[in-house]
Structures are given as structure tokens and as C-alpha cells.
Amino acid sequence: MVMNQKVKRQTLLVLYFLLLSYNGVQGETKRYSELEDLELEKQLKLLNKLAVKTIKTTYGDLYDCVNFYKQPAFDHPMLQNHNFHHEMKPTLHRLKQNSGTSTTSGLSTIWLNDEGCPVGTVPIKRNDKDDLIRQRHIPPPEDITFDVQLAIVAIARTQNNPNNKFGGATMAASLWNPHVEGQQHSACRLKIQKGSDIVQVGWRVDPTLYGDTKTRLFIHFQAGNIHCFNILCPGFVLVNTKIPIDKVYDNISQIGEDSWEDTMSIDRDLVNGNWWLLLEENYTQIGFWPQRIFTDLKSFATNVEWGGVVYSSSSVHGPPMGSGLFPIGNTGHEAYCRKITVLNDKGETIDEDKTTAYADNPNLYKVVDIPHWQAAERQHFVLYGGPGENRQV
């Protein structure tokens, strides 16, 4: 009897300490969640600046019109002391062109007020905690993935020559909406690079980044070990009051019809070396990456790429790229980048004929590089795409 009571006391003591231990773990978990929540709040304060005005798009996105000088770019330590202003204009050799027949996306229709932000402010998409939590799972771009290469490209690229001196590049990209799920993404981009420094622009379908499966504009930069999409970290300086860098494209290409497209350019300022983002055929100025945030891209670029990229985790089949069809030379059915040009070290536009086509997995995605489409001047076409592993057998 005594022995039984002793065993009971020992058992109760063990259970007591187990309960204490359990409650301690629960307390630590709760404290961790509270700390994480505080960190999210801190990030939101950095991203969501005080709004002069808040406007809504026809797709339901909220944008805060933030004073030019209060935008997130100036949180960058290298941009604390700057002389930038909202009326800045780049010094470029490029001639302005506007044929009046562009099939771009109808930017004036994206705002419910049909206006955009007031002069002296810039549109910044409002983020919430769900956005930040979701964006923590954004896979790094193909150039940043050091472990397992899960991003796949189908591109044309300039010849690998460390003596190249490119002051920018252009493409007119057809706009598509490939089907993606979960953490998959499918995109088309123009990429300019030297060493570990990269600037990119293109369109993208990316539920992890945007929280939807719409076709949206995106930018990305890497400066040394720092990299991010759009303005999720400081670096890109917005100047345009009407065109957000993560806007939804109103018009999307359909197989068998004339393609909708947008012209995208990145040009190096001839005076100060800032890298400007320009859109549409008239080279509308959106903003710039300041020269001072870079190391290698303080000077000219050595590599340029045009084409498609997809991502899927190792356990999920690869998504479609572009139109979802292999390229055979039919621009009414296939995704393309056309008007492929680069700028030389004087800022002059030149044809880049010595490009190389490359595809990571030609069984799933292909690319066709045609420097002179139907022998036309400056009609360099890069056709790309494929069904991925979702193809019907």
C-alpha cells in the first residue's frame, strides 16, 4: 500500500513537471508569435508610408499616393543624402518615338478615378500582414538560387564577353496569362547584368508575390547580396504619378488573335549613371535605380537576356511558359520578345545580332532566336514558351 502511494506521488510529480514544461513551450510559442507580429508591424510601417491620398484600381488594389521624398526608396542607407526630385528627367540618347498605333495596355483605364496620383506623389501598393507572410515564401530568382535550381529559363542572351559595354536594352513583349498554382510563377523578362548586380523588368503571373493570378508588371534588382521585387525593399526611385510598377495588364493575348504587348526598356543615364525604367513606345519614364546602390553596375552592363522563366517546387509539375505552346514561328500563337536592341556605351541604339538561344529544359520549354524577322531592320524576334509538365499527352 505504501509502495503504491509512493508510485502515485512520483507519477503525479512527473505529470506536474511535464505540464509545466508544456505550458512553458506554449508560452514560448506565444511569445514568438507576438515577436513575429511586431516584426510584421515594423515592416508594414516601412512599406506603407503616410498617404496624401488613397486611390483604388478597377481590380480592387489600393494604392497610397506618397510624397515623393517619403517613398521607401529613401530608406536605403546609400540614399539618405540625395538631391533627387519628382521632376527629374533622364539624359538619354534615345529618340522619343510614338507611332500612335501601340497595342499597349490602356494605362488610363486602371484607376477608378481615371487620374492616378497628384503631382509630387507616387503610387505605392498598400501591403497588409497577409501579403508579407505570403511574400516570405517567394522563391529567389534563377540567378540567386545557389542550392537547387528550380527556376527554368528559355532565353536569348548576348555573347559572354567581360569587355561588353551595354548602356541598356529594350524589348516589346507579348502579354500572356499562363496558368499557375500555389508557389509557381511564370514570367517574361528583360534582364541586364554585370557581376552580381542585376536589374530586370517584365510581366509576371505570381500568386506568391501578388496574391492573385493576374498578369502584372514587375521589376527586380540585385545589388550585391541585396535583392527584391518591385519596392519590397529600398532602392528603386519612383517618379511617375500614374503607372505603378506592379500594375495589372488590362489586355492579354489570346491564341489565334493579334498579340497585345508592352515595350519595356532599361537605359543608363548618360550623365549620372542611374538606370532608368521606361515603358511603352514613347518611353514613358517610370523611375530609376540610382547608380550609388550598385557596385558592378556603377558602370556598364556586360550581359543582357530576353525571354521566359518559370518556377515550380520540386514536388509540383512545371507550369506553362508564355502562351503554353512551343515556338515554331507563328506570332499569333506564341509568346515573343521583339524589337530586341541594346544600347552601346554612348547610349546609341544598336541591333544585337550575335545572341545565343538557351533553354534549361528543351523537353518542356523551347526558344527560337531570329535576329532578322523576314529580313526587316530591327525586327529581332525571340520566340519562347512551352506547356511545361502540364501538357496533354
Side-chain angles (χ1 to χ4, degrees):
M1 186 70 177
V2 176
M3 181 63 70
N4 288 339
Q5 290 178 345
K6 184 177 181 181
V7 170
K8 286 182 181 179
R9 286 197 298 269
Q10 289 176 338
T11 302
L12 288 172
L13 193 62
V14 169
L15 289 174
Y16 173 73
F17 282 113
L18 284 174
L19 184 61
L20 283 178
S21 176
Y22 175 77
N23 288 335
V25 171
Q26 290 293 91
E28 285 297 319
T29 302
K30 186 177 180 180
R31 284 196 293 273
Y32 175 75
S33 297
E34 291 173 352
L35 289 173
E36 187 177 41
D37 193 65
L38 288 173
E39 180 61 29
L40 290 173
E41 290 287 355
K42 182 179 179 181
Q43 291 180 41
L44 286 175
K45 287 182 180 179
L46 289 173
L47 291 172
N48 296 332
K49 302 298 186 180
L50 181 64
V52 174
K53 177 182 179 181
T54 298
I55 53 179
K56 194 173 186 178
T57 71
T58 54
Y59 296 95
D61 296 327
L62 288 178
Y63 282 83
D64 291 327
C65 299
V66 175
N67 183 295
F68 172 85
Y69 297 101
K70 301 297 184 181
Q71 64 178 293
F74 300 131
D75 291 334
H76 195 291
M78 299 298 293
L79 301 179
Q80 296 295 309
N81 300 311
H82 66 87
N83 58 357
F84 305 143
H85 56 86
H86 70 274
E87 295 183 341
M88 288 184 65
K89 302 292 182 184
T91 302
L92 305 174
H93 191 279
R94 190 189 294 277
L95 296 176
K96 299 291 184 287
Q97 299 176 10
N98 189 355
S99 65
T101 59
S102 172
T103 55
T104 51
S105 55
L107 292 170
S108 62
T109 66
I110 69 173
W111 301 113
L112 284 178
N113 66 1
D114 202 32
E115 294 176 2
C117 286
V119 174
T121 68
V122 292
I124 297 176
K125 192 171 184 291
R126 186 180 297 177
N127 289 275
D128 58 28
K129 290 182 183 178
D130 288 340
D131 292 325
L132 296 185
I133 292 171
R134 190 184 64 251
Q135 290 162 2
R136 287 183 175 185
H137 300 287
I138 295 175
E142 66 275 10
D143 302 279
I144 319 295
T145 306
F146 299 114
D147 299 326
V148 179
Q149 180 63 277
L150 298 175
I152 299 175
V153 299
I155 57 170
R157 57 191 179 190
T158 54
Q159 291 185 327
N160 187 17
N161 184 342
N163 296 319
N164 287 338
K165 289 185 178 180
F166 298 125
T170 297
M171 69 175 182
S174 59
L175 305 172
W176 297 88
N177 185 251
H179 176 77
V180 301
E181 298 177 351
Q183 290 186 358
Q184 293 178 334
H185 69 242
S186 187
C188 169
R189 85 284 191 276
L190 159 65
K191 185 180 77 172
I192 293 176
Q193 180 174 6
K194 182 179 182 182
S196 61
D197 289 350
I198 298 170
V199 287
Q200 299 187 77
V201 61
W203 61 258
R204 191 176 192 88
V205 182
D206 192 336
T208 308
L209 178 59
Y210 294 117
D212 58 38
T213 55
K214 297 179 176 67
T215 303
R216 291 178 179 264
L217 177 70
F218 86 94
I219 60 173
H220 176 269
F221 83 94
Q222 179 183 352
N225 294 324
I226 300 173
H227 70 91
C228 72
F229 288 96
N230 302 331
I231 52 172
L232 294 178
C233 67
F236 184 79
V237 179
L238 289 160
V239 298
N240 196 288
T241 62
K242 300 182 185 300
I243 305 177
I245 46 98
D246 38 21
K247 72 182 184 70
V248 175
Y249 281 103
D250 285 326
N251 298 301
I252 300 299
S253 304
Q254 302 295 327
I255 292 175
E257 300 178 4
D258 291 339
S259 295
W260 290 90
E261 63 180 39
D262 196 3
T263 300
M264 307 173 185
S265 305
I266 298 175
D267 285 17
R268 184 177 185 271
D269 195 301
L270 295 173
V271 174
N272 52 41
N274 297 332
W275 291 91
W276 278 83
L277 171 65
L278 314 169
L279 294 180
E280 301 191 304
E281 290 181 311
N282 63 350
Y283 305 118
T284 300
Q285 296 139 37
I286 308 302
F288 60 91
W289 292 276
Q291 181 198 48
R292 67 183 72 174
I293 72 172
F294 296 108
T295 301
D296 295 320
L297 279 178
K298 283 185 180 296
S299 59
F300 299 98
T302 54
N303 301 92
V304 182
E305 295 181 4
W306 305 261
V309 57
V310 297
Y311 169 88
S312 188
S313 66
S314 57
S315 60
V316 180
H317 288 171
M321 179 189 289
S323 69
L325 300 177
F326 287 125
I328 58 174
N330 187 337
T331 57
H333 290 74
E334 300 154 15
Y336 64 77
C337 308
R338 70 183 183 96
K339 294 185 177 179
I340 298 301
T341 57
V342 296
L343 304 183
N344 62 17
D345 58 352
K346 298 177 182 178
E348 300 166 335
T349 301
I350 57 175
D351 290 336
E352 181 54 47
D353 296 339
K354 297 178 181 179
T355 50
T356 303
Y358 173 79
D360 280 320
N361 191 336
N363 292 323
L364 303 181
Y365 312 101
K366 298 183 185 298
V367 60
V368 177
D369 186 15
I370 308 175
H372 294 284
W373 180 269
Q374 299 176 348
E377 184 181 3
R378 290 189 178 173
Q379 275 299 315
H380 190 156
F381 268 78
V382 177
L383 307 172
Y384 69 92
E389 294 172 291
N390 298 329
R391 63 190 185 281
Q392 298 295 321
V393 179

